[in-house]
Amino acid sequence: MTVQKTNSVLRVGSRFEPTFQAELEARYDIPQLPEGPPRAEFLAQRAPEFRVVVTSGLAGVDADTIAALPNLEAIVNNGAGVDSIDLEAAARRGIGVSNTPDVLSDTVADTALALILMTLRRFGAADRYVRAGRWAREGAFPYARDVSGLQVGILGLGRIGSAIATRLLGFDCAITYHNRHRIDGSPYRYAESPAELAESVDVLVVATTGDRQARHLVDRTVLEALGPKGYLINIARGSVVDQDALVELVAGGGLAGAGLDVFVDEPHVPGALFDLDNVVLFPHIGSATGRTRRAMALLTIRNLESYLASGELVTPVLLPRGNGH
């Protein structure tokens, strides 16, 4: 495979997901936007060259970076979430933005199901119980909660939320959902608000987007509506949940438990959660399988190749100006 040198594409972010970085570097030699003091000098000298930005994960592209690139036309993101990209600033300039939908939906839904099972059945705590020699010393492990037949609420019935719902039907769970808008033809019951959804279910699964509108969508009121017998599962973004309220409630008995793959300030996790056996903590591994990460990487590269060749994005979140934007 020939590595193509291009001066019209800029990489933003010092650490890309390893599979994506390997696939990208096998095809392209792309300059990187420096961090710290060298950034200003780099932009002063070269900013007009770049038509496309490639970014990944939490690196994102903020309004200042967009403003500093006068000829920017498209932002290609390796990831389904685009909450770290300033979409409003991009839209004002007619800049296209792409992501990697669909290819990770099943894997993230599997992660959500694992969190539900581990949290309610306390499988992680049971494993630690055996490893610590407590089974032999203290006897049988305490009873846990069945998953089958529960009322489950899904906040955000998009691709991932729908895949989670499909899996839960196999456990005879009754599904209720809340979106910004009711979905015509959905077989699931609709709740008018996040609080109404939480109040009516045993388990609340957060699968919404992580944009600015969703910040603290699951606030203290929602968590208190879920109540001391309810469980919170979050595979969306840490910012969607009021993390301080969550820690307080789950530690003090205001919630039965929580299964979390995402946090506000990753990789930093509130220390108060570490010793709680009613909480399951994952290091943001929702899509972390070799097959899925490669599919994401290749879809990102398809978006880049397509834009460079034709000015069109394969999986646009925002269309670039001149393509129906």
Side-chain angles (χ1 to χ4, degrees):
M1 188 180 300
T2 303
V3 177
Q4 178 181 345
K5 184 176 180 62
T6 174
N7 290 326
S8 64
V9 181
L10 177 65
R11 166 178 166 164
V12 175
S14 58
R15 290 189 304 167
F16 281 2
E17 191 277 324
T19 302
F20 175 51
Q21 180 156 321
E23 295 287 352
L24 186 68
E25 290 179 349
R27 294 165 174 80
Y28 292 98
D29 179 6
I30 297 175
Q32 179 177 326
L33 179 64
E35 297 180 350
R39 173 188 168 109
E41 182 180 353
F42 176 90
L43 289 171
Q45 293 177 352
R46 301 190 58 182
E49 298 176 24
F50 303 111
R51 298 171 48 224
V52 183
V53 158
V54 176
T55 190
S56 181
L58 296 176
V61 183
D62 60 20
D64 289 343
T65 303
I66 291 172
L69 299 170
N71 297 316
L72 183 62
E73 301 169 8
I75 299 169
V76 175
N77 182 57
N78 181 52
V82 291
D83 48 293
S84 60
I85 297 171
D86 194 318
L87 295 181
E88 293 178 4
R92 285 195 297 269
R93 288 264 304 276
I95 295 167
V97 177
S98 68
N99 68 340
T100 59
D102 295 325
V103 294
L104 55 88
S105 298
D106 283 333
T107 304
V108 176
D110 290 347
T111 303
L113 186 61
L115 279 170
I116 293 169
L117 287 166
M118 288 188 67
T119 304
L120 273 70
R121 291 295 310 274
R122 302 184 65 198
F123 288 146
D127 175 79
R128 293 190 295 274
Y129 192 81
V130 174
R131 292 175 186 272
R134 294 178 62 188
W135 189 15
R137 294 196 309 269
E138 302 175 31
F141 187 73
Y143 294 155
R145 181 84 175 268
D146 280 318
V147 173
S148 297
L150 290 182
Q151 301 280 335
V152 178
I154 297 179
L155 185 60
L157 195 70
R159 296 177 177 92
I160 293 171
S162 296
I164 295 168
T166 299
R167 283 155 175 75
L168 289 168
L169 292 178
F171 288 82
D172 293 322
C173 292
I175 307 298
T176 307
Y177 77 98
H178 173 76
N179 278 8
R180 289 168 187 162
H181 305 286
R182 187 190 300 262
I183 300 173
D184 292 338
S186 173
Y188 309 122
R189 183 170 67 86
Y190 181 71
E192 295 291 341
S193 69
E196 180 185 311
L197 178 65
E199 190 175 29
S200 67
V201 299
D202 304 297
V203 180
L204 177 61
V205 182
V206 183
T208 187
T209 58
D211 58 25
R212 292 179 183 178
Q213 290 179 295
R215 185 179 184 275
H216 284 193
L217 190 62
V218 180
D219 58 13
R220 179 178 292 273
T221 300
V222 174
L223 294 170
E224 289 178 347
L226 187 56
K229 294 184 179 179
Y231 296 83
L232 180 81
I233 306 296
N234 189 5
I235 48 82
R237 286 289 187 268
S239 59
V240 179
V241 177
D242 182 339
Q243 185 167 275
D244 291 340
L246 171 63
V247 171
E248 179 186 327
L249 290 169
V250 79
L255 288 172
L260 309 171
D261 185 43
V262 289
F263 305 88
V264 171
D265 183 25
E266 297 176 2
H268 306 290
V269 177
L273 297 176
F274 290 160
D275 294 328
L276 300 179
D277 270 347
N278 61 337
V279 177
V280 176
L281 306 171
F282 285 176
H284 203 152
I285 56 170
S287 63
T289 69
R291 179 185 66 85
T292 295
R293 289 291 172 86
R294 186 164 192 269
M296 291 170 62
L298 294 180
L299 180 53
T300 306
I301 290 167
R302 278 179 59 208
N303 273 288
L304 176 59
E305 291 173 342
S306 175
Y307 192 81
L308 292 176
S310 67
E312 296 183 355
L313 296 168
V314 179
T315 51
V317 175
L318 289 177
L319 288 170
R321 182 173 290 139
N323 286 279
H325 181 81

